[in-house]
Amino acid sequence: MNTTTKTGLSEAPVTTMPTDPGPFDCMPQLLAAAKVAPVVRIPYLGQHAWVVCDPELVRQALTHPKFAKDLTWVPDWMRQPGLMVGSQPDPEYARAMIMSDGEHHARIRRLHAPVLSPRNTEKWGERVAVKVEGFLDELEGSRSGATAEVNVVTDYTHRIPLAFISEMLGLPPEAERQLRAITDVMLYSSDYPARTEAVGALYGAVEGWVRDPEPLADGVITGLLDSSDGPDAAVTEGEVIVWTLGMIITGYETTGSLISASLYEALRRPPEERPRTDEDIKAWVEEALRVHPPFPHPTWRFATEDIDLGGYLIPKGAPVQVSIAAANRRPGEGADSFAAERRGQGHLSFGLGMHYCIGASLVRLEAQIAVRGFLRRFPRARLSTSTAVEWESEWMIRRMSVLPALLA
């Protein structure tokens, strides 16, 4: 039953979502919460956060001019150690693309665009293909006898984007293991002091590379540093650090999650139902994006004034999430609703409007190359019957931690 506020608008009802990370799949709970009302409130850090669940209202919220992503709107009670939004630097030091609006956002996006140009994306794809073949060779070499069980997540899907983003940035070889250990704690640990320590460790590592680039190969970091040199510098050192941090998180973890989900949906089906052609694989990856968005709720937005959203009041200053998980689904669809023939139609997993993911083309390409390579090398691979699939998640981020497969 909705309560009417003094404005005449409905007050969003309170429901729950899993806001602390753990070894479970959050998706059924997220979809159940979305059925409560088009807009709901979630108890969060002793206060409330608003979540927009209705697909049409999600589209409105993603492009609404009065929902700001600017860091200056983050309320004090959300600036807690261990939280991603609370770990953002002072805007005077540097702004991240995902937490900026207007001219600031346009400038950052413009400076990133050359790195992710179609020509560069094609070049990056060639490098991804090389890494994929190398990891597949290792998997093939690990087989003993007729079958071999592997965890596809740790042995393949997450290794690809981590190796690629490390090469793209120009990081030294030892950085890959360091980044994996740090980001696992930072994103999925329920130990908030440990998460705080991990945030500091990641920042410290990137700061070290930026301030002493001698160990780095030519890559995005050295390119940005070239732009930060001299009196007419387009980029500050602080921005190089903050933007590199953003590329590591979005370029590694989310891509690995997408590859895992795509292969999960293939391995749980008989070989004749799996994608074969390049067009089939593109459609398969899009459907995985629809059903398994790596960010079920993406980054925060904040109401800059009282907003009427579908008859619900979003009060000024309210922190707002949009449920991509719910918006991607049709009425009545449950958590297990993958259907390749839908080809991911209408999904919002890369966002909408000015904050549409600038790296979407590269993420898609990486996933397509990884899925195609695995299914062609191991056409009869299948899920293990003795080891269970495992998930790690909370309301904002979701991934498979164990994808057990037999490679025969």
Side-chain angles (χ1 to χ4, degrees), residues 162-277:
L162 181 56
F164 169 67
I165 196 67
S166 297
E167 179 178 310
M168 181 181 178
L169 292 171
L171 301 183
E174 65 272 13
E176 289 182 33
R177 185 179 301 173
Q178 183 180 9
L179 291 180
R180 178 67 192 262
I182 290 173
T183 55
D184 275 1
V185 172
M186 204 169 94
L187 296 173
Y188 293 100
S189 174
S190 58
D191 182 340
Y192 281 84
R195 289 174 75 168
T196 302
E197 186 176 336
V199 169
L202 181 59
Y203 181 90
V206 173
E207 182 183 44
W209 294 322
V210 169
R211 293 190 171 169
D212 180 18
E214 183 64 30
L216 302 180
D218 288 341
V220 172
I221 295 178
T222 56
L224 288 172
L225 286 173
D226 288 343
S227 299
S228 70
D229 193 25
D232 299 321
V235 181
T236 68
E237 182 182 87
E239 287 175 330
V240 178
I241 295 171
V242 170
W243 297 353
T244 299
L245 290 168
M247 283 185 272
I248 289 170
I249 298 300
T250 58
Y252 156 48
E253 180 58 43
T254 56
T255 307
S257 296
L258 173 59
I259 300 169
S260 297
S262 300
L263 285 177
Y264 165 68
E265 293 293 355
L267 292 172
R268 67 197 293 227
R269 290 167 167 79
E272 61 270 19
E273 294 180 15
R274 299 172 187 174
R276 296 179 180 276
T277 68

Side-chain angles (χ1 to χ4, degrees), residues 26-37:
C26 66
M27 189 61 71
Q29 293 169 271
L30 301 188
L31 297 181
K35 292 178 180 178
V36 172

Side-chain angles (χ1 to χ4, degrees), residues 337-350:
S337 58
F338 186 96
E341 65 275 10
R342 289 182 179 165
R343 308 176 68 87
Q345 185 175 10
H347 78 73
L348 298 171
S349 297
F350 287 124

